[in-house]
Amino acid sequence: MWGNKRFHTLNYELKKIFGEKIYKVSLDGGFTCPNRDGTLDDRGCLFCSDKGSGEFAGDRRKSIGVQIEDQLALIENKFPEGKVIAYFQNFTNTYAPIEQLRKLYTEALSHPRVAGLAIATRPDCLPGEVLDLLEEIGGKHFVWLELGLQTIHERTSELINRGYSLEKFIEASDSLKKRKIPFVTHLILGLPGESEREILESVRFVNKSGSWGIKLHLLHLIRGTKLHEYYKENPFLLMEKDEYISLIIDILEILNPETVVHRITGDGSRDTLIGPLWSLDKRSILNGVDKGLKERNTYQGKFYTEDSSDRNYKNPNT
Ligand code: SF4
């Protein structure tokens, strides 16, 4: 078990690595995304908000140092001292000239309370010079990447306009593994038309990808997104709370016990979230998962059978 939890939490892992409790602060490095700026497309992913999927990050008009101070002030009551991970969250955080990236990452790392970096990006935005920089920084600091895969199924990937193929993800994950740069794979649960069986296939793929961690997001319907427009034309069922909790437990059971679970639910903004509204009560979802794991007398990896060293990906789309 992992502390008092039945799954391998990020909290547990960071305490093990740093010997103390570590928080994350979300930053906006002022980036855009090739899937929004017209390079690949100008529509973006269907679910992406105008904040580039980072609703609670710092203010992009401010410097990284000031954003860190602002974010630390927000958690001052519960975390007045101690280290944090600087999380470059909004848009594509490796999509800029290399010197600009170096400057932003270095500025974050120079803050006395920053213990490491988390960098969200796309697998098609990791050219050699960016990997070199990440490897260099990773030699001195704790750094991980976050990749938004969302699904392995090409049909859904096209529907959500992800803009890169599964092969691209495999290529990037292989390069990251070779350079020993840890990465976290994001999946979205409840995408239109996806069955539980298909979602579990995506999880099994993550097991084989060499991911250090996984982030599970409930699909949020956010006002003003392309997903909202799609929903008006093609209404689909949003997940129910019990269904979601049960699915999370099914996922944890087949997940590699080594994989660090960074998140099992999402953060929706009360002002813009159309549904599912029950997801605003995050505490009750987390409690529901803990309770369900206990009632089923189960835990992460109970039914994990795959050999994580197996690099023979089975691409279900080919
Ligand atoms: S890759 Fe990220 S930032 Fe770009 S459109 Fe998709 S969700 Fe938004």
Side-chain angles (χ1 to χ4, degrees):
M1 294 297 142
W2 299 270
N4 61 350
K5 292 284 183 183
R6 287 170 177 254
F7 60 100
H8 193 158
T9 63
L10 177 63
N11 193 24
Y12 174 88
E13 186 69 13
L14 291 179
K15 255 192 201 153
K16 200 174 83 185
I17 295 169
F18 292 99
E20 60 182 90
K21 170 105 180 141
I22 302 281
Y23 271 82
K24 274 200 320 189
V25 292
S26 294
L27 309 175
D28 186 331
F31 295 92
T32 177
C33 169
N35 207 21
R36 298 187 64 127
D37 71 1
T39 304
L40 291 171
D41 206 313
D42 55 13
R43 294 169 296 162
C45 299
L46 206 62
F47 53 83
C48 187
S49 69
D50 56 3
K51 290 207 159 181
S53 292
E55 311 310 302
F56 302 103
D59 181 341
R60 58 167 41 208
R61 294 165 301 185
K62 298 184 179 176
S63 73
I64 291 300
V66 172
Q67 286 188 48
I68 293 171
E69 288 299 331
D70 287 351
Q71 296 285 307
L72 286 173
L74 293 176
I75 54 172
E76 196 181 357
N77 284 346
K78 58 178 178 183
F79 197 62
E81 52 193 25
K83 300 281 187 189
V84 293
I85 297 290
Y87 178 26
F88 285 89
Q89 183 176 18
N90 307 53
F91 298 95
T92 301
N93 295 273
T94 58
Y95 185 53
I98 197 74
E99 283 317 316
Q100 191 181 333
L101 297 179
R102 182 184 289 279
K103 187 171 168 287
L104 288 166
Y105 302 158
T106 308
E107 186 178 350
L109 286 165
S110 68
H111 191 284
R113 286 184 63 187
V114 170
L117 297 182
I119 299 169
T121 189
R122 297 167 54 88
D124 55 357
C125 289
L126 289 171
E129 58 177 7
V130 169
L131 292 171
D132 289 345
L133 176 63
L134 294 171
E135 198 177 355
E136 179 197 320
I137 297 175
K140 299 181 217 135
H141 305 274
F142 193 63
V143 177
W144 76 78
L145 280 190
E146 308 236 349
L147 301 177
L149 178 64
Q150 326 308 2
T151 176
I152 60 165
H153 300 286
E154 222 54 77
R155 171 178 46 83
T156 325
S157 150
E158 272 168 32
L159 175 74
I160 63 175
N161 196 39
R162 187 181 66 195
Y164 68 81
S165 67
L166 189 63
E167 293 309 320
K168 184 45 88 177
F169 179 91
I170 293 170
E171 201 184 291
S173 59
D174 279 344
S175 303
L176 291 168
K177 285 251 318 173
K178 230 175 268 158
R179 292 173 183 252
K180 297 195 171 22
I181 301 168
F183 64 96
V184 177
T185 304
H186 293 220
L187 296 180
I188 296 182
L189 315 180
L191 287 167
E194 281 212 346
S195 63
E196 169 155 353
R197 183 182 56 77
E198 287 171 313
I199 293 170
L200 296 180
E201 279 172 4
S202 291
V203 176
R204 288 197 184 89
F205 174 85
V206 174
N207 275 338
K208 290 186 175 181
S209 70
S211 290
W212 168 63
I214 191 168
K215 257 189 190 174
L216 301 168
H217 302 265
L218 167 69
L219 181 71
H220 280 145
L221 192 56
I222 296 174
R223 188 170 295 112
T225 57
K226 296 267 182 303
L227 182 68
H228 186 202
E229 284 169 30
Y230 175 86
Y231 182 80
K232 286 191 240 168
E233 297 282 311
N234 313 273
F236 58 91
L237 284 178
L238 296 174
M239 289 193 90
E240 297 292 342
K241 185 175 171 189
D242 289 352
E243 182 192 11
Y244 186 74
I245 289 174
S246 170
L247 175 61
I248 292 288
I249 296 171
D250 292 345
I251 290 172
L252 291 174
E253 284 184 323
I254 62 163
L255 190 64
N256 184 340
E258 298 288 316
T259 305
V260 181
V261 180
H262 285 234
R263 173 180 283 252
I264 54 174
T265 180
D267 278 321
S269 156
R270 195 169 286 277
D271 300 335
T272 53
L273 184 71
I274 294 170
L277 290 173
W278 52 262
S279 68
L280 289 169
D281 188 358
K282 211 167 140 186
R283 178 53 41 203
S284 109
I285 302 165
L286 299 175
N287 289 343
V289 170
D290 285 339
K291 188 163 167 269
L293 285 165
K294 207 165 167 203
E295 279 169 6
R296 282 209 222 166
N297 193 22
T298 193
Y299 48 86
Q300 181 176 339
K302 185 171 185 182
F303 300 130
Y304 171 71
T305 51
E306 287 156 307
D307 173 4
S308 55
S309 65
D310 176 5
R311 302 295 294 147
N312 296 317
Y313 292 97
K314 193 172 169 301
N315 183 345
N317 306 298
T318 54

